[in-house]
Each structure stands twice: as structure tokens, then as C-alpha cells.
Amino acid sequence: MNEKRILVAFDGSENALRAVDYVGKVLGAAPGFQVRLLYVERVPERDFFATEAAWKEACEAQAAGVRQALAKAEAALKAAGLPEGSVGSEYLPSCRSPQNQAPACSLGTSIARDVVRVMVEGDYGTVVIGRRGVSKAEEFLFGSVSTKVMHLAKDCAVWVVA
Amino acid sequence: MESACEILARMAPDFPLQYAGSVFTDTAEFMGISYGDVISVGERNYLVLRDEAERRFGMEDPKFWVKRCRCLETGERRILKLEFFEEFPVRIGMFEAHCYRSPQKESRILDMVRGDGRFMQGETFLDAGGHNVRVLEVVQGRRLDTLIEDLPMDHATYFRQDFPGVLDKYLEACEALRFLHERGEKHGDVRRDHIFVEYQGGGWRWIDFDYAFDFHENPYGLDLFGLGNILVFLTAKGTPTPLDIPAEVVANLSPSDMSIVFGNRLVNLRKLYPYIPVELNRVLLHFSAGSEVFYDSVEELTEDLRACRALL
């Protein structure tokens, strides 16, 4: 693993922004780090829409919003002191997305597994993730990405920003 | 076009024609379709007998978009589910989840499970207005929950005599859901009254697949939660709460013995029925407030349960 390569799981939420802020503060002045923001796309559930057109429109709106948020987060990291060229982002599309043409896509069964897979494939030494703080019952019903990442990750550091 | 009166006179001569209503080829206004009307879809005519209703907590909850019908061509009973998009919050214990009633989801699953005796059967047609109409076969059977509750025996006898067979059927029902999950589908409304036990052969069939949820990290979590509730119900032959179990047992209960979601339901059943094997009780405890480990998939649950089955 490469300790200088940092992967930040990003979903545009306040928790993710807190994680980005934290990374900026910790690494902004430190030389030699590569930081990559990863967004794993979750398209809105198709069954929530009466028509294909309404669903596609919602998918497009969501994707545009996330790309904007990723750009802002990248800018925030650079503003914190990380040099140009050391910050990047990846938008991992959902295999179910109507716009998806990428060869690699997320199957949609677990964001945590996608994050860990990208981490291993990209030789990242640290994964950073925001945590919203859920009860045990919520975790049981709805799942928790950060908990699952902690369970799945091996041979790396996991920073959980709560 | 023939009137309902003419159709009924020709195809249902036993029907009292003074109650003949209208013929509907477009079902958009389903609230206005009632007894005596005829729905024409998929080259068949269905005489509407009544709206379907669900009985919960002693109250009749009418489902105006679900019609009990008789197919005039075959004479067979059918349930017609008409297109109704509904978005509503569902309370799960202290939580609220966002739910959507999706006709297309149910249609997709009906296509997927055609000929599979573990699920209700039906076909989807589009009416003249392009609306989804699901024509469902009526399951000739009884709701699982009432069937189990009404078994005339005490718990110890039930657990010894009937439960092993019940558990076998439950495992088959779990496999049915696994079949859906492996194909990217969720049941969405896994409850003990959504399994019907057939009068002939005793097969268990899942019904009602139109609930859609949007859970990103744990897409099948709600189905698993439902399976856990059913397992506890089947093991206990009911739903024990502190109000209906002996005081000396209640005195020994802690919050961790109760359901992780419904704090008043006992899950650690061995405290009430000490003859339940530890191994089976351990499976139940995965659904308790004291658990730190949860099942991620139906496969994990059934694997543990199969090991327990051998001990019964």
C-alpha cells in the first residue's frame, strides 16, 4: 500500500464535506500526498418514477449536482494548500444509470464494497470517510457505509470523520 | 361497444342485471369502478365483485385500486390490481422509510416468477389508456399468521410436533426471496400476512410485491428484517410481549432481549421457552437489540438455520 495515496469517499453530504475539510486541514501543508475524491453513483430508484423520462431527468439532475459538488470539494482541498495536480476526483457511475457508458461501473449492492475495491485497485494507503452517526437499529435496517468500510478494509488506514 | 348489461346477460346469466354497471376499458378512474362494472382488458371481461380490503388491527382498510373479479370467459376468480402510484412514509418501529407503490415493479416480478409455486401468479396487461393492469390468480389458501396462531395446541407441543415442518417451509420461503435478491429485486413488504399457505399441498406463496424502497447501502435490509420478524413469530407461535408473558420471565428480561426495532417484542425466546435450542435462539438474537452482528443476506440466515434444523 502507498501511504501517500489518500482516497476520500464522497457523496456530497455534510458528513463527506466534513471529511474533505479534515483532509485539507491535516494534509494541506504536508508534501507528497495524492488525494482522490471518489463518488459512487446511486441513481434514484427507477420504480419511484411513473415514467422513464421522469426518471432520466432525475438521474441527470442528480449527476449534475454531484459533479458540481466534487468540483467544489477539489477546489476546497487546493485552497487548503494541496498543490495542483495532487488532487483529483472519480465519478464511478452506476451500472443502472441511463447515462453510463463507462466500462467500470457500480453494481449498486454496496457502496462500501465499491470504495474498498477502488482503494485496493488504486493502491491507496488510506481511505477517509464521513460518518453521519446512526443507531444500531438504523444500521441494521438501512446499513452504514462507514461501518462496512471499516469491516471490509485491510492493509490500510481508515479515517472516519464523525 | 356492448354495454355491461348486454355482456352480463350473455356471459353471466346468473348475474342480477339490475346491478349491471358500465364497461371500463380505461381504468384510470378506479375509484369509480365498483360492483357490477365490467373491466375489459387483455381480450377478457372481468365482472367486478368488490374492492379488496386488508384487515389490520381489527379494521378494514379498503384498497380501491384492487378489485375482486370474476373472469366472464372462464368463470374463474381473479384479482385485478389497477395502476396506482403512491408515495408514502412507512413507519418501522421508531423509523420512517420512504416507500413507493410501483405497478411496474410488481409486473416485473410477476414475469420473473411465472410458474414458480413460491409466489402469487399473474399477468400484466395495458388497458386502452395505457395503464398497467395486473390480473392475478387468487391463492387458494390461508394467511400464514392466522393459520399458525389458530393451531390448537400449547407452545411446547407446537414446537415439538409442528415447528420442524414449519421451519422447512420457512426455509423454502427464504430461498424464494433469495431468488429475487439474486436477480436484483426486493419483495419490499415481507410480513407474515403476505405469505399464504395453500389448502392443497400446503405450499407457501409470497404475495404483494409492489412496494419499492430506496436503501443504498443495505438494499435487502428491509426484506431481511421482515424475515427475522416472521422467524420469531413462527418460533414463538405468536408475538410475545411483556404484557402477555409470565411476570417471573419479564423480571429477567433486559432491553437487549427485545427486537432491535420493536422494543416491546421478545426475541430472546429461550427466556420464555427454555427448550428452544441455543443454536436457534442465537439466530433469533441477530434480530435483537443486543446484537452487534446482523445478517447481510438471506444466504447467511438460511445457512445458520439449516444447522439448527438438524437439531430439532
Side-chain angles (χ1 to χ4, degrees), chain B residues 118-120 173 176-177 187 190 194-195 205-207 209 230:
Chain B
R118 301 172 299 179
F119 300 92
M120 73 176 185
L177 290 196
H187 180 287
V190 173
H194 278 169
I195 295 177
R205 277 187 197 258
W206 287 105
I207 63 163
F209 326 123
I230 296 174

Side-chain angles (χ1 to χ4, degrees), chain A residues 111-112 115-116 127 129 144-153 158:
Chain A
I111 294 172
V115 169
V116 172
V127 60
I129 190 160
S144 161
V145 179
S146 57
T147 303
K148 217 178 214 177
V149 166
M150 283 191 284
H151 285 159
L152 295 171
V158 180

Side-chain angles (χ1 to χ4, degrees), chain B residues 238-274:
Chain B
T239 310
T241 70
L243 291 176
D244 48 37
I245 54 184
E248 62 271 22
V249 176
V250 175
N252 279 325
L253 296 181
S254 72
S256 64
D257 294 322
M258 314 308 279
S259 159
I260 187 166
V261 175
F262 302 111
N264 66 335
R265 295 189 190 173
L266 181 64
V267 165
N268 190 355
L269 294 178
R270 225 175 113 83
K271 286 202 170 175
L272 179 60
Y273 305 121

